[in-house]
Amino acid sequence: PVPRLKPLRYSYEKDIVLYAHFRGVDYFSTECHYAPDAFRGHARALLKDLEATRATTVASLGHSSRRLVVATKVTTKKLGAC
């Protein structure tokens, strides 16, 4: 298998949106209507609060997550359509 190339991996979302705007790339973001009640909203709010106190929080979490070792066989639950 060919590894995926992620050139904007270390970029902040704001920077990606600005890049898309200035390069003339159509950028849109849609949110699932279940999102406000989802637990990830609480995690997102926590991340935003942490990022407000220290701007490099999200990047640091991304770096540390790539250092974690995951078992070779991971079972996942199938998700339904939003």
Side-chain angles (χ1 to χ4, degrees):
V2 178
R4 293 175 68 184
L5 179 64
K6 299 177 183 178
L8 300 175
R9 172 188 284 178
Y10 300 113
S11 300
Y12 291 105
E13 185 177 1
K14 295 174 192 174
D15 297 336
I16 295 171
V17 172
L18 282 173
Y19 174 81
H21 174 73
F22 287 116
R23 297 291 285 184
V25 177
D26 289 334
Y27 179 86
F28 65 93
S29 177
T30 59
E31 190 169 318
C32 177
H33 61 278
Y34 297 115
D37 298 327
F39 177 74
R40 68 179 177 197
H42 300 291
R44 183 183 298 130
L46 174 65
L47 283 175
K48 297 243 184 236
D49 291 342
L50 289 172
E51 193 173 23
T53 59
R54 183 173 158 221
T56 60
T57 300
V58 174
S60 298
L61 285 171
H63 287 294
S64 64
S65 69
R66 283 183 288 285
R67 299 177 82 193
L68 293 174
V69 177
V70 179
T72 56
K73 188 172 183 177
V74 177
T75 59
T76 58
K77 183 178 174 183
K78 287 205 172 204
L79 299 176
C82 180

